[in-house]
Each structure stands twice: as C-alpha cells, then as structure tokens.
Amino acid sequence: MDQFSRYPLSGIPVPFQYQIRNGDDSDAGVLRLMNKFNTEENGGHAKKRSAPNAGGADFDVKRARMVERSGLLSCQRDEGGPTPLFDIPFRFGLESGVSGADGSVSVCERRAVDDTRGGATAPQHGFQQLSSVNRVSSPVCSEDEGLVVSGAGGAAAAAAAAAASTAAGSDEGLPLSPVASPGRTPSEGVACAVIAEPRRSLQQDCLNAVAITAHSQLSPAAYKNLIFQLISRLNRSELSDLGTLVKDNLKRDFLSFLPAEIAVKILTNLDFEDISKCLAVNRTWNRLINNTPYLWRRLMVVEGFMSKDEYQKQCDVSKEDVDSAFRQKFLENRSNLKSWYSSEFKPHRTTLKGHSTSIVTCLQFEDDYIITGADDKVMRIYDAKTEEFVTQLSGHDGGVWALKYDKEGVVVSGSTDRSVRVWNIKKGKCTHLFRGHTSTVRCLDIVEHQGIKYIVTGSRDYTLRVWKLPSCRNENYNPDVCEVFNTTESNPYFVGVLRGHMDPVRTVSGHGNIVISGSYDHNLMIWDIAQMKCLYVLTGHTDRIYCTVYDHERKRCISASMDWTIRVWDLENIHKNGPCSMVNSFTNPCVKVAGSVLTLQGHTALVGLLRLSNKFLVSAAADGSLRGWDPDDFSRKFAYHHTNLSAITTFDVNDNVLVSGSEGQFNIYNLRTGRLVHSDLLSDADQIWLVKFNNRKLVAAVEKAGKSYVEILDFSRSATTEDETRRSDQDVSVVSSQDGSIR
C-alpha cells in the first residue's frame, strides 16, 4: 500500500501555524519532555526489566510458556544472532502484537535494520532536531510495513513513541553500541524477547504524565508541531474517528443553555433566510421558533408584510388564536412575494364593471372591501374575497372626490355637493349626512385621539372642518335610518372649523391630534384638533401644494408641490427649519416658519403624489418619473421612468413592491433588487387611474375604450389557460351581467 494512501497527512508540508520558526526557544522544553518520558518508562518498568536477570533460566522457561499459552507473539529466531553495526540507522516502533488477557504486550528487542529492507514506515515530518539529547528511551518495536497500533491506548502509545523517535532522529539516529545493555540481554539464539509491559492503568498514567509535560514545558509553536506530527502518523480510519470525535465535541447548542427570553432576543435579530436555517438545526430550535408568535409577528414587519402601526395594533389586541396564525400568515405572504417577483408568473385576473363615467376619482382597498368613487355621484363596493360586485351606494348630488374607509364597514365620503356622508357598507345605506362646507369637499382623513375618532375634511372654501365619527357601537346608532344635519349648530358630531388658508385646501393628513393641511396658497398648516388651533404655518414652496404626508414616528412633515420640489419639515425642533416668527392673530396666534430643514429635488414637473412606507419615501411626478428616498436620512434609493414619459397618475408602495400606472403603462418593480418585474399585466388598459394592493392582491381602476373597469390581480394563484385565451380573443363581446362582472 502506498505510504500516502495509508497516512493521508504524510504527503502535505507542515502548515505554517504548526511550524517551529527561528527564534522559538523550545529546546529546553523538548529536553525536559524527553527526560520525563524516559523517567516514566525506566521507573515504571524497572522491576519487570530486572525479572529475567533475577530468575535466570527458569524465568525464560516461564516466559516462553506464557507466550505459547496466550499466542501473543511468535518469536523469530535470528540464526546469525544480533550483530551490532555502527553505520546502519535504526527504526523503532510497536510490534503488531495484541495485548494479552493480563494487559501485557510483547515487545521486540532493539535491533539493527538494513537500509535495503523494504516496507512503508510511518511518515516523518520536520520536527526540529535537538542539538543534544542525553538519552533516548528504549524504543518499542516497528514492523517494516509501518506503525501498527493495537490494544487499548495503542494509538496514543504509538504516537508518543513516534514523536520520541522523531525527536531523537529515528532515521538518522545513533549507531547501536557494540556492548549489549546489561538489562536487555536476550536469551541465546532468540531474536525477540518477551518483556512484560506495565498494566494499562500504569501505561495510561505514563502517557498522561508525558502529555502534561509536553503541554506545560513546550513552547506553543513546538507543542502544535508535536500535535501535528502525532496526527500525521494516523491512518485514514484513525483520522476519521478523531475527526468525528472533535467535531461532535465542538458542537454546542447554546440556545438550549440560555434563558428563553435571551434566546428569542437573539432570534429576532435574524432575517427569514437565517431563521429557516435555524429551523433545521434540531428539534429544540424548531420548537422554540415555531412556538414563538412574537418572532413571526416581528418577521411580518421586517419582511415588509405589515406596517409598524398595524404591528402595534396587533400587539395591543393580541390573543392566543391570533398569535398562532402569524406563522401561517407569514409563510403565505412569503410564498406570494415569490410570485410578485417572478416575471414568468401570470396572476389570476378578474375584470369587473366600473362606473358609468370613464374617470375614477377615488379607490380604497381595505379589509375585504374594494370601494370606488367617481363623478357619476355613486360609490361601488366589491368583495375582494369572492371578486364580485356587492352593492352601489347612492345619495350624493355631485361627484365623489374624497373617500376614506374605517374599520367595521364604515365609509366616509366627500362630494362636490359640499356634503359629507357616513355609510354602512353591510347595510348599503347612508347613516349620517353632515352639511357645513360651502364648496366642494376635496380631501378628508380619519384620525383617532384618546379613543375618539374624528373626520377632518378640507374644502375649496379654504377651510377645514372637524367632525366626530359616529360609532356603530353607540346605543343610538341605527343603520336603517339616515340622520341629516343641515347646519353645524344642530349637529352633535360637529367639533369646529379650522381657518387660516387663503386658497382651496388640496390635501390633508394626520395622526392622533395632529393634522397637516396643504393648500393652493403655497403653505402648509399644522393643527392641533384637541385644542382646535393652529400650531405652525410652514412656508417655503413657491407654487401649489398637492400632497402631504405626516411622519408621526419621526415627527416630520413632508409635502409635494407644483414647484417640482419635495420639502421636509422637522416638527420636533421647529427652529431647525429656518427663521421663526409669531403670527399675531386674535383668534388663532401661531408660529410662522420660513424654510424647511431639507428640500428634495430631481423631478422636472409637478410632483403630485407621495407615499411613505417603513423603508421608503416615494414621490411621483408629471414628468413620468418615480423617485425613492430613505425616510431616515433622505438619501436617494432609486429612480424609475415610464417609457412614454406620460404623467404618473397613480402608484402604491410597500417595503417590497412598487406599482405605478400612467397612460397606457402599468409597471411592477421589485424594490429588493430594483428590477422591473412586470410591465404587461394590464397592457389592454388605455389609462390607469388608481391602484392599491396588499400582500396577495392588486386592485386597479382603469379605463378601456371609454369605460371604467376594476381589475383584480391575485398573486396567490396563477392565470389559467382559459383566462389567457379569453384575454387574447379580441373578437369576444363583453356583456355586463347584473352583478357587474365581465362574462
């Protein structure tokens, strides 16, 4: 057998970290190690080595009988007898014997070996030669085939013997003395003498002493060199056993030793790719991860499947049955996201009839409701689950231009008829009618402060009005009766009027008691509806303001204007924005701020749309571009352009996906890679008016051939062949059914 095949590490050079380099003063330690080894061997074997001399011929006879009975070793006679030579090197090793029942082994006597004798020997590595060695321990025998180890502790004994022989220069050692050692005179005519070895316990003690001495006396470099040489003298099977032993004992299930709170804290800092790998580690980790709802709820936020506000609400009302559903919900969202990101995936598509006019002005997609409003004075309700038309809400005398959905099936609408209406979707009826504005209600929002929900409406009459949102849990609430309040004085839900703008109010947004309004007068106003007063007037834009966003987490206000810019105001430290001055007003004194803390530029036309997610602030403009910014430091993240450069009419965004629409173009972007994924899903639409989506479905209000439609794309299931055939058939007649779906 090839030497390197038998000893896999024999053919490689000594690694750098195991080499003894110049300047390493380890000779003294090596000498102490060798002396220790010799002392242990001589002291432990003294009595047994003296036995042949003490007993004479009787001892030889007894020894021979023991060998014959145990079958330990067949002594080979040397016909010519041992002839000492001075110029022949020696090889020492363990004989391939087997330990007997009493724990003793047979050992070959030291003898000369001719250079011409064949056979593989254990590999020799470059353990540095010592300048002087006082004495060399009596070596155990070596067969010509190499180092053979047997019996308990055989591998360790062989390794120690090999190291000792290497340190003494086994291949180029001292010649045999012509005078036989007094304590090792063999029986006449016998080449191999049987010498009783110490019992295993004594042998183990000796090896332990050698190991301790090596660790304490050798320098780190010499110690590592010795370890490498010992390992390099192991065959493939022994190396495999050693590797398994080391690998198994280096494993530590640290999570099992930590308190559950700390273990969960560690896991919450991992993303899903790492969590999925942890699930496969062992049953303990798998059970801990799967039975920790907090971890899956947090992953919903980290992976962009849930906003921070939604997360906080879930934490406040979390129940056991809700917590147990987070894991399944996360895995479903993760699967759906793969479909969003696959350009080959075609989602299931449902087309529903829209309004009688081609332009859709409002779209809400909340819970399982799809709600649209238009200039035809009605709102249409669709079921997002069944993807069917549900009902139509009629009552306004003008076009619906503002719409907001609240929980529990309540919708608030504002119209060109100057009224505000509250609707019950389940009943399909208007429950409250508020009058007070003197012009079109152009925008509205719903905020909650101290457990009370408020409706804030902005109008072309330059004012904002605040109303309490009627609760369906009120004991006087009757969904079958519409309460009409033609004046604010008689309306118990009316809170007050906010005055200050000098032109129509175009946009309003808020959170808690803070409301922000943007107007065509180029200014923003910050209101506290709890005190019904103006806090700040923010100036800086040079043209009409079309959109505002209140970042309540960072205490910032963001606005987009017709002057092509986006401005950011710091509401926590108002003086950072610029010079501040008091506006003296008898009814509503406030602080006027000249300038903003930051101005974002890049668009070359009216910036009419803004959206804020956990990771991105996105703006869209009439120049056909969308730009993304980091909401923390407002560094630029991305910029996309529609190919036809037509004005962006709508877009929606979360942390993973950006969807945008314009005239004849509808795009879906992967925000993790920045790549355009889909651009042909609604290629038959002439105009994309509005778009909303959640983790599973996308809803778009579109115009085709002068008519409006609602398109529903379901990314949890793929389009069927029948669907594709129907879409590609240009000659099929489209007939609207009674429920509003396309047949």
Side-chain angles (χ1 to χ4, degrees):
M1 181 182 294
D2 181 68
Q3 171 178 326
F4 296 151
S5 299
R6 187 171 184 180
Y7 302 102
L9 298 184
S10 63
I12 66 173
V14 179
F16 178 79
Q17 63 269 32
Y18 294 100
Q19 294 178 4
I20 301 178
R21 291 171 288 279
N22 294 334
D24 182 26
D25 186 15
S26 59
D27 289 354
V30 174
L31 288 174
R32 284 191 292 269
L33 174 63
M34 298 305 300
N35 289 335
K36 179 69 175 178
F37 185 81
N38 290 332
T39 301
E40 294 290 344
E41 181 186 75
N42 294 335
H45 295 198
K47 293 183 179 180
K48 293 193 176 183
R49 287 176 180 171
S50 62
N53 293 333
D58 292 339
F59 181 84
D60 289 339
V61 174
K62 293 180 181 179
R63 180 175 56 190
R65 289 176 180 174
M66 290 175 60
V67 172
E68 290 177 0
R69 286 197 301 268
S70 60
L72 294 178
L73 177 66
S74 296
C75 293
Q76 180 182 4
R77 292 187 177 274
D78 190 348
E79 297 178 356
T83 304
L85 298 175
F86 288 90
D87 56 349
I88 298 178
F90 292 87
R91 302 181 186 276
F92 307 117
L94 287 177
E95 184 71 11
S96 58
V98 181
S99 60
D102 60 350
S104 63
V105 296
S106 60
V107 181
C108 289
E109 182 187 25
R110 183 188 309 184
R111 62 182 178 178
V113 181
D114 194 283
D115 285 336
T116 60
R117 296 183 64 175
T121 61
Q124 303 294 326
H125 279 282
F127 191 72
Q128 293 185 353
Q129 298 288 339
L130 301 179
S131 58
S132 62
V133 179
N134 293 335
R135 53 182 177 176
V136 180
S137 61
S138 300
V140 288
C141 69
S142 170
E143 285 190 346
D144 291 338
E145 288 79 13
L147 189 64
V148 181
V149 182
S150 63
S165 64
T166 305
S170 60
D171 283 341
E172 299 177 3
L174 298 175
L176 184 65
S177 172
V179 180
S181 175
R184 291 191 178 271
T185 303
S187 300
E188 184 177 356
V190 180
C192 291
V194 179
I195 304 174
E197 285 291 314
R199 292 185 180 275
R200 292 179 183 176
S201 59
L202 180 59
Q203 185 183 42
Q204 186 64 56
D205 292 341
C206 293
L207 293 176
N208 289 343
V210 172
I212 294 173
T213 303
H215 185 268
S216 60
Q217 299 297 333
L218 294 180
S219 67
Y223 184 72
K224 289 192 290 185
N225 186 280
L226 173 62
I227 294 298
F228 178 76
Q229 289 198 63
L230 296 178
I231 295 175
S232 66
R233 285 165 171 77
L234 299 180
N235 59 34
R236 188 174 300 276
S237 176
E238 293 164 343
L239 284 174
S240 177
D241 293 341
L242 180 61
T244 302
L245 177 66
V246 172
K247 183 172 66 175
D248 291 346
N249 283 275
L250 285 178
K251 293 178 180 178
R252 287 294 182 271
D253 186 0
F254 67 95
L255 280 185
S256 300
F257 292 97
L258 294 174
E261 295 80 3
I262 298 178
V264 171
K265 183 67 174 179
I266 293 173
L267 293 172
T268 54
N269 287 280
L270 304 179
D271 56 23
F272 177 69
E273 284 72 16
D274 295 328
I275 290 292
S276 60
K277 294 176 182 178
C278 291
L279 284 168
V281 171
N282 56 37
R283 293 181 180 178
T284 302
W285 288 35
N286 189 288
R287 185 166 52 251
L288 175 63
I289 293 172
N290 285 329
N291 296 333
T292 307
Y294 167 75
L295 176 62
W296 296 101
R297 191 164 60 226
R298 181 186 171 279
L299 280 175
M300 290 283 288
V301 178
V302 173
E303 295 290 322
F305 301 142
M306 179 189 295
S307 68
K308 292 181 179 179
D309 289 340
E310 291 174 326
Y311 171 78
Q312 190 58 49
K313 291 178 182 178
Q314 293 287 353
C315 291
D316 294 340
V317 299
S318 180
K319 298 179 181 179
E320 184 176 352
D321 55 341
V322 177
D323 285 344
S324 61
F326 272 112
R327 177 180 175 275
Q328 184 62 30
K329 187 180 297 185
F330 173 83
L331 296 177
E332 290 176 358
N333 289 330
R334 181 77 181 184
S335 176
N336 293 338
L337 185 62
K338 291 182 179 179
S339 301
W340 283 89
Y341 285 170
S342 173
S343 59
E344 303 298 325
F345 182 84
K346 301 300 179 184
H348 181 273
R349 178 178 172 183
T350 301
T351 303
L352 302 176
K353 178 186 175 183
H355 293 267
S356 58
T357 60
S358 60
I359 300 176
V360 179
T361 58
C362 307
L363 172 65
Q364 289 277 287
F365 179 25
E366 300 286 345
D367 292 342
D368 292 322
Y369 293 110
I370 301 170
I371 310 165
T372 60
D375 252 347
D376 61 359
K377 307 177 184 180
V378 300
M379 292 180 291
R380 293 177 66 84
I381 312 297
Y382 306 86
D383 190 319
K385 276 188 175 180
T386 62
E387 300 181 350
E388 294 178 348
F389 173 77
V390 176
T391 188
Q392 182 171 285
L393 304 180
S394 302
H396 278 296
D397 295 327
V400 179
W401 282 82
L403 188 65
K404 187 70 175 182
Y405 173 82
D406 189 56
K407 302 297 181 182
E408 302 174 345
V410 175
V411 177
V412 180
S413 61
S415 169
T416 58
D417 64 6
R418 301 170 291 179
S419 69
V420 177
R421 287 179 178 262
V422 182
W423 309 80
N424 185 304
I425 292 180
K426 296 178 181 179
K427 291 289 184 177
K429 295 181 179 180
C430 176
T431 59
H432 297 80
L433 170 60
F434 301 155
R435 298 189 188 277
H437 281 292
T438 59
S439 186
T440 298
V441 179
R442 189 63 182 83
C443 54
L444 67 86
D445 198 4
I446 298 176
V447 297
E448 183 176 355
H449 177 59
Q450 295 182 349
I452 302 175
K453 292 184 178 180
Y454 298 91
I455 306 169
V456 183
T457 56
S459 171
R460 286 178 176 171
D461 63 8
Y462 307 174
T463 67
L464 292 92
R465 293 179 184 256
V466 182
W467 329 72
K468 290 182 181 179
L469 177 65
S471 174
C472 59
R473 298 180 181 180
N474 194 312
E475 58 181 8
N476 297 325
Y477 180 81
N478 187 350
D480 296 321
V481 177
C482 180
E483 296 185 62
V484 179
F485 301 97
N486 291 318
T487 63
T488 56
E489 290 79 6
S490 62
N491 189 346
Y493 299 101
F494 179 71
V495 177
V497 182
L498 300 175
R499 305 179 187 274
H501 283 295
M502 305 302 294
D503 272 314
V505 179
R506 178 63 174 79
T507 173
V508 62
S509 60
H511 184 273
N513 62 312
I514 301 299
V515 172
I516 300 171
S517 60
S519 169
Y520 286 170
D521 64 5
H522 310 175
N523 297 331
L524 288 89
M525 299 190 74
I526 313 300
W527 310 88
D528 182 353
I529 62 172
Q531 304 179 59
M532 291 301 294
K533 71 174 186 178
C534 174
L535 300 178
Y536 310 111
V537 177
L538 307 180
T539 65
H541 280 295
T542 59
D543 212 328
R544 295 178 176 183
I545 296 173
Y546 274 81
C547 189
T548 59
V549 171
Y550 177 41
D551 186 356
H552 62 91
E553 290 185 354
R554 301 174 181 86
K555 300 294 188 296
R556 292 170 179 169
C557 169
I558 308 167
S559 60
S561 170
M562 199 172 180
D563 63 7
W564 306 359
T565 67
I566 302 158
R567 287 184 176 263
V568 182
W569 278 272
D570 188 336
L571 300 183
E572 188 172 26
N573 189 346
I574 199 67
H575 295 281
K576 286 185 177 180
N577 301 289
C580 299
S581 59
M582 287 297 299
V583 176
N584 295 320
S585 172
F586 179 76
T587 58
N588 194 12
C590 60
V591 177
K592 182 178 181 180
V593 181
S596 59
V597 70
L598 192 63
T599 301
L600 306 179
Q601 298 179 334
H603 290 291
T604 57
L606 159 69
V607 185
L609 301 171
L610 286 176
R611 293 287 188 277
L612 180 67
S613 71
N614 293 334
K615 296 181 180 179
F616 301 103
L617 169 68
V618 183
S619 59
D623 60 4
S625 69
L626 300 106
R627 295 182 180 273
W629 323 80
D630 188 306
D632 291 317
D633 58 12
F634 296 99
S635 59
R636 295 187 181 184
K637 291 299 183 181
F638 57 80
Y640 301 122
H641 297 267
H642 279 209
T643 55
N644 55 9
L645 297 181
S646 60
I648 306 295
T649 53
T650 181
F651 80 90
D652 199 11
V653 65
N654 62 19
D655 290 344
N656 300 312
V657 176
L658 170 64
V659 180
S660 63
S662 64
E663 183 180 355
Q665 194 163 354
F666 176 76
N667 294 340
I668 297 178
Y669 301 91
N670 179 344
L671 291 184
R672 294 191 178 184
T673 63
R675 186 171 60 91
L676 173 64
V677 182
H678 301 283
S679 60
D680 58 348
L681 297 182
L682 297 177
S683 57
D684 56 340
D686 299 326
Q687 179 71 53
I688 311 296
W689 291 119
L690 294 163
V691 63
K692 295 285 185 180
F693 69 89
N694 59 21
N695 297 323
R696 177 182 175 184
K697 293 185 178 183
L698 181 149
V699 178
V702 305
E703 177 184 344
K704 292 188 290 185
K707 296 181 179 180
S708 71
Y709 298 92
V710 173
E711 298 282 0
I712 303 175
L713 302 179
D714 188 348
F715 284 85
S716 66
R717 52 181 177 151
S718 61
T720 62
T721 305
E722 181 182 353
D723 293 335
E724 294 300 321
T725 303
R726 184 176 60 183
R727 299 296 175 191
S728 62
D729 188 356
Q730 299 297 326
D731 298 328
V732 67
S733 59
V734 179
V735 181
S736 61
S737 64
Q738 185 176 3
D739 65 356
S741 61
I742 301 301
R743 303 298 185 189

PDB file of all heavy atoms in Angstrom, residues 138-165:
ATOM      1  N   SER A 138      14.064   3.489  25.557  1.00  0.00           N
ATOM      2  CA  SER A 138      14.103   2.226  24.834  1.00  0.00           C
ATOM      3  C   SER A 138      12.906   2.150  23.920  1.00  0.00           C
ATOM      4  O   SER A 138      11.772   2.208  24.370  1.00  0.00           O
ATOM      5  CB  SER A 138      14.073   1.063  25.835  1.00  0.00           C
ATOM      6  OG  SER A 138      15.179   1.139  26.683  1.00  0.00           O
ATOM      7  N   PRO A 139      13.143   2.041  22.655  1.00  0.00           N
ATOM      8  CA  PRO A 139      12.022   2.108  21.721  1.00  0.00           C
ATOM      9  C   PRO A 139      11.244   0.820  21.701  1.00  0.00           C
ATOM     10  O   PRO A 139      11.785  -0.248  21.908  1.00  0.00           O
ATOM     11  CB  PRO A 139      12.699   2.358  20.383  1.00  0.00           C
ATOM     12  CG  PRO A 139      14.040   1.722  20.526  1.00  0.00           C
ATOM     13  CD  PRO A 139      14.438   1.866  21.955  1.00  0.00           C
ATOM     14  N   VAL A 140       9.986   0.955  21.408  1.00  0.00           N
ATOM     15  CA  VAL A 140       9.172  -0.219  21.151  1.00  0.00           C
ATOM     16  C   VAL A 140       9.312  -0.549  19.685  1.00  0.00           C
ATOM     17  O   VAL A 140       9.628   0.294  18.868  1.00  0.00           O
ATOM     18  CB  VAL A 140       7.702   0.055  21.538  1.00  0.00           C
ATOM     19  CG1 VAL A 140       7.559   0.111  23.031  1.00  0.00           C
ATOM     20  CG2 VAL A 140       7.225   1.333  20.898  1.00  0.00           C
ATOM     21  N   CYS A 141       9.074  -1.809  19.337  1.00  0.00           N
ATOM     22  CA  CYS A 141       9.481  -2.285  18.026  1.00  0.00           C
ATOM     23  C   CYS A 141       8.598  -1.770  16.916  1.00  0.00           C
ATOM     24  O   CYS A 141       7.480  -1.373  17.131  1.00  0.00           O
ATOM     25  CB  CYS A 141       9.497  -3.805  18.019  1.00  0.00           C
ATOM     26  SG  CYS A 141       7.852  -4.508  18.136  1.00  0.00           S
ATOM     27  N   SER A 142       9.122  -1.817  15.690  1.00  0.00           N
ATOM     28  CA  SER A 142       8.414  -1.357  14.500  1.00  0.00           C
ATOM     29  C   SER A 142       8.519  -2.396  13.419  1.00  0.00           C
ATOM     30  O   SER A 142       9.587  -2.924  13.158  1.00  0.00           O
ATOM     31  CB  SER A 142       9.015  -0.040  14.000  1.00  0.00           C
ATOM     32  OG  SER A 142       8.505   0.279  12.743  1.00  0.00           O
ATOM     33  N   GLU A 143       7.406  -2.721  12.783  1.00  0.00           N
ATOM     34  CA  GLU A 143       7.470  -3.601  11.637  1.00  0.00           C
ATOM     35  C   GLU A 143       7.839  -2.814  10.407  1.00  0.00           C
ATOM     36  O   GLU A 143       7.696  -1.603  10.349  1.00  0.00           O
ATOM     37  CB  GLU A 143       6.103  -4.269  11.419  1.00  0.00           C
ATOM     38  CG  GLU A 143       5.821  -5.353  12.430  1.00  0.00           C
ATOM     39  CD  GLU A 143       4.593  -6.129  12.025  1.00  0.00           C
ATOM     40  OE1 GLU A 143       3.873  -5.651  11.147  1.00  0.00           O
ATOM     41  OE2 GLU A 143       4.392  -7.188  12.578  1.00  0.00           O
ATOM     42  N   ASP A 144       8.294  -3.544   9.396  1.00  0.00           N
ATOM     43  CA  ASP A 144       8.700  -2.871   8.176  1.00  0.00           C
ATOM     44  C   ASP A 144       7.529  -2.235   7.462  1.00  0.00           C
ATOM     45  O   ASP A 144       7.690  -1.301   6.705  1.00  0.00           O
ATOM     46  CB  ASP A 144       9.412  -3.855   7.245  1.00  0.00           C
ATOM     47  CG  ASP A 144      10.759  -4.258   7.798  1.00  0.00           C
ATOM     48  OD1 ASP A 144      11.302  -3.489   8.623  1.00  0.00           O
ATOM     49  OD2 ASP A 144      11.239  -5.319   7.411  1.00  0.00           O
ATOM     50  N   GLU A 145       6.291  -2.758   7.690  1.00  0.00           N
ATOM     51  CA  GLU A 145       5.143  -2.176   6.996  1.00  0.00           C
ATOM     52  C   GLU A 145       4.777  -0.814   7.549  1.00  0.00           C
ATOM     53  O   GLU A 145       4.031  -0.078   6.939  1.00  0.00           O
ATOM     54  CB  GLU A 145       3.919  -3.096   7.120  1.00  0.00           C
ATOM     55  CG  GLU A 145       4.016  -4.362   6.296  1.00  0.00           C
ATOM     56  CD  GLU A 145       4.893  -5.380   6.978  1.00  0.00           C
ATOM     57  OE1 GLU A 145       5.195  -5.182   8.175  1.00  0.00           O
ATOM     58  OE2 GLU A 145       5.278  -6.344   6.332  1.00  0.00           O
ATOM     59  N   GLY A 146       5.254  -0.455   8.700  1.00  0.00           N
ATOM     60  CA  GLY A 146       4.930   0.858   9.244  1.00  0.00           C
ATOM     61  C   GLY A 146       4.509   0.752  10.683  1.00  0.00           C
ATOM     62  O   GLY A 146       4.735  -0.228  11.366  1.00  0.00           O
ATOM     63  N   LEU A 147       3.842   1.793  11.143  1.00  0.00           N
ATOM     64  CA  LEU A 147       3.446   1.892  12.539  1.00  0.00           C
ATOM     65  C   LEU A 147       2.120   1.192  12.717  1.00  0.00           C
ATOM     66  O   LEU A 147       1.120   1.565  12.123  1.00  0.00           O
ATOM     67  CB  LEU A 147       3.316   3.368  12.913  1.00  0.00           C
ATOM     68  CG  LEU A 147       3.121   3.680  14.385  1.00  0.00           C
ATOM     69  CD1 LEU A 147       4.334   3.240  15.168  1.00  0.00           C
ATOM     70  CD2 LEU A 147       2.882   5.157  14.554  1.00  0.00           C
ATOM     71  N   VAL A 148       2.094   0.144  13.552  1.00  0.00           N
ATOM     72  CA  VAL A 148       0.873  -0.609  13.772  1.00  0.00           C
ATOM     73  C   VAL A 148       0.527  -0.530  15.242  1.00  0.00           C
ATOM     74  O   VAL A 148       1.361  -0.790  16.095  1.00  0.00           O
ATOM     75  CB  VAL A 148       1.036  -2.079  13.339  1.00  0.00           C
ATOM     76  CG1 VAL A 148      -0.261  -2.837  13.562  1.00  0.00           C
ATOM     77  CG2 VAL A 148       1.472  -2.152  11.888  1.00  0.00           C
ATOM     78  N   VAL A 149      -0.706  -0.184  15.552  1.00  0.00           N
ATOM     79  CA  VAL A 149      -1.117   0.037  16.931  1.00  0.00           C
ATOM     80  C   VAL A 149      -2.224  -0.931  17.265  1.00  0.00           C
ATOM     81  O   VAL A 149      -3.116  -1.164  16.456  1.00  0.00           O
ATOM     82  CB  VAL A 149      -1.603   1.480  17.133  1.00  0.00           C
ATOM     83  CG1 VAL A 149      -1.985   1.702  18.577  1.00  0.00           C
ATOM     84  CG2 VAL A 149      -0.521   2.448  16.708  1.00  0.00           C
ATOM     85  N   SER A 150      -2.190  -1.511  18.451  1.00  0.00           N
ATOM     86  CA  SER A 150      -3.261  -2.397  18.874  1.00  0.00           C
ATOM     87  C   SER A 150      -3.459  -2.271  20.362  1.00  0.00           C
ATOM     88  O   SER A 150      -2.587  -1.822  21.079  1.00  0.00           O
ATOM     89  CB  SER A 150      -2.936  -3.850  18.503  1.00  0.00           C
ATOM     90  OG  SER A 150      -1.781  -4.272  19.198  1.00  0.00           O
ATOM     91  N   GLY A 151      -4.628  -2.749  20.823  1.00  0.00           N
ATOM     92  CA  GLY A 151      -4.916  -2.708  22.248  1.00  0.00           C
ATOM     93  C   GLY A 151      -5.381  -1.344  22.684  1.00  0.00           C
ATOM     94  O   GLY A 151      -5.301  -0.369  21.963  1.00  0.00           O
ATOM     95  N   ALA A 152      -5.907  -1.273  23.910  1.00  0.00           N
ATOM     96  CA  ALA A 152      -6.390  -0.008  24.452  1.00  0.00           C
ATOM     97  C   ALA A 152      -5.247   0.953  24.609  1.00  0.00           C
ATOM     98  O   ALA A 152      -4.202   0.628  25.132  1.00  0.00           O
ATOM     99  CB  ALA A 152      -7.076  -0.260  25.798  1.00  0.00           C
ATOM    100  N   GLY A 153      -5.465   2.168  24.149  1.00  0.00           N
ATOM    101  CA  GLY A 153      -4.427   3.188  24.244  1.00  0.00           C
ATOM    102  C   GLY A 153      -3.316   2.972  23.262  1.00  0.00           C
ATOM    103  O   GLY A 153      -2.277   3.617  23.352  1.00  0.00           O
ATOM    104  N   GLY A 154      -3.494   2.044  22.290  1.00  0.00           N
ATOM    105  CA  GLY A 154      -2.419   1.758  21.355  1.00  0.00           C
ATOM    106  C   GLY A 154      -2.076   2.928  20.477  1.00  0.00           C
ATOM    107  O   GLY A 154      -0.915   3.188  20.189  1.00  0.00           O
ATOM    108  N   ALA A 155      -3.097   3.633  19.996  1.00  0.00           N
ATOM    109  CA  ALA A 155      -2.832   4.769  19.109  1.00  0.00           C
ATOM    110  C   ALA A 155      -2.040   5.839  19.810  1.00  0.00           C
ATOM    111  O   ALA A 155      -1.104   6.418  19.269  1.00  0.00           O
ATOM    112  CB  ALA A 155      -4.159   5.332  18.599  1.00  0.00           C
ATOM    113  N   ALA A 156      -2.411   6.119  21.061  1.00  0.00           N
ATOM    114  CA  ALA A 156      -1.691   7.149  21.803  1.00  0.00           C
ATOM    115  C   ALA A 156      -0.263   6.720  22.082  1.00  0.00           C
ATOM    116  O   ALA A 156       0.687   7.503  21.998  1.00  0.00           O
ATOM    117  CB  ALA A 156      -2.412   7.446  23.111  1.00  0.00           C
ATOM    118  N   ALA A 157      -0.085   5.429  22.432  1.00  0.00           N
ATOM    119  CA  ALA A 157       1.261   4.945  22.714  1.00  0.00           C
ATOM    120  C   ALA A 157       2.118   4.991  21.468  1.00  0.00           C
ATOM    121  O   ALA A 157       3.289   5.376  21.505  1.00  0.00           O
ATOM    122  CB  ALA A 157       1.191   3.512  23.261  1.00  0.00           C
ATOM    123  N   ALA A 158       1.516   4.603  20.336  1.00  0.00           N
ATOM    124  CA  ALA A 158       2.269   4.643  19.087  1.00  0.00           C
ATOM    125  C   ALA A 158       2.659   6.054  18.735  1.00  0.00           C
ATOM    126  O   ALA A 158       3.770   6.320  18.274  1.00  0.00           O
ATOM    127  CB  ALA A 158       1.434   4.030  17.968  1.00  0.00           C
ATOM    128  N   ALA A 159       1.722   6.984  18.926  1.00  0.00           N
ATOM    129  CA  ALA A 159       2.024   8.369  18.601  1.00  0.00           C
ATOM    130  C   ALA A 159       3.136   8.904  19.473  1.00  0.00           C
ATOM    131  O   ALA A 159       4.026   9.616  19.019  1.00  0.00           O
ATOM    132  CB  ALA A 159       0.763   9.210  18.764  1.00  0.00           C
ATOM    133  N   ALA A 160       3.102   8.571  20.782  1.00  0.00           N
ATOM    134  CA  ALA A 160       4.152   9.044  21.681  1.00  0.00           C
ATOM    135  C   ALA A 160       5.494   8.457  21.295  1.00  0.00           C
ATOM    136  O   ALA A 160       6.523   9.134  21.298  1.00  0.00           O
ATOM    137  CB  ALA A 160       3.802   8.678  23.124  1.00  0.00           C
ATOM    138  N   ALA A 161       5.480   7.168  20.948  1.00  0.00           N
ATOM    139  CA  ALA A 161       6.739   6.537  20.556  1.00  0.00           C
ATOM    140  C   ALA A 161       7.271   7.139  19.275  1.00  0.00           C
ATOM    141  O   ALA A 161       8.465   7.373  19.122  1.00  0.00           O
ATOM    142  CB  ALA A 161       6.523   5.027  20.386  1.00  0.00           C
ATOM    143  N   ALA A 162       6.353   7.416  18.327  1.00  0.00           N
ATOM    144  CA  ALA A 162       6.796   8.006  17.066  1.00  0.00           C
ATOM    145  C   ALA A 162       7.388   9.374  17.288  1.00  0.00           C
ATOM    146  O   ALA A 162       8.383   9.748  16.684  1.00  0.00           O
ATOM    147  CB  ALA A 162       5.621   8.076  16.096  1.00  0.00           C
ATOM    148  N   ALA A 163       6.758  10.172  18.159  1.00  0.00           N
ATOM    149  CA  ALA A 163       7.291  11.502  18.436  1.00  0.00           C
ATOM    150  C   ALA A 163       8.655  11.415  19.070  1.00  0.00           C
ATOM    151  O   ALA A 163       9.562  12.190  18.760  1.00  0.00           O
ATOM    152  CB  ALA A 163       6.325  12.260  19.343  1.00  0.00           C
ATOM    153  N   ALA A 164       8.816  10.471  19.992  1.00  0.00           N
ATOM    154  CA  ALA A 164      10.105  10.337  20.661  1.00  0.00           C
ATOM    155  C   ALA A 164      11.181   9.922  19.676  1.00  0.00           C
ATOM    156  O   ALA A 164      12.299  10.440  19.684  1.00  0.00           O
ATOM    157  CB  ALA A 164       9.991   9.319  21.796  1.00  0.00           C
ATOM    158  N   SER A 165      10.834   8.977  18.794  1.00  0.00           N
ATOM    159  CA  SER A 165      11.841   8.529  17.835  1.00  0.00           C
ATOM    160  C   SER A 165      12.186   9.622  16.850  1.00  0.00           C
ATOM    161  O   SER A 165      13.321   9.759  16.417  1.00  0.00           O
ATOM    162  CB  SER A 165      11.326   7.294  17.090  1.00  0.00           C
ATOM    163  OG  SER A 165      10.188   7.626  16.337  1.00  0.00           O
TER     164      SER A 165
END
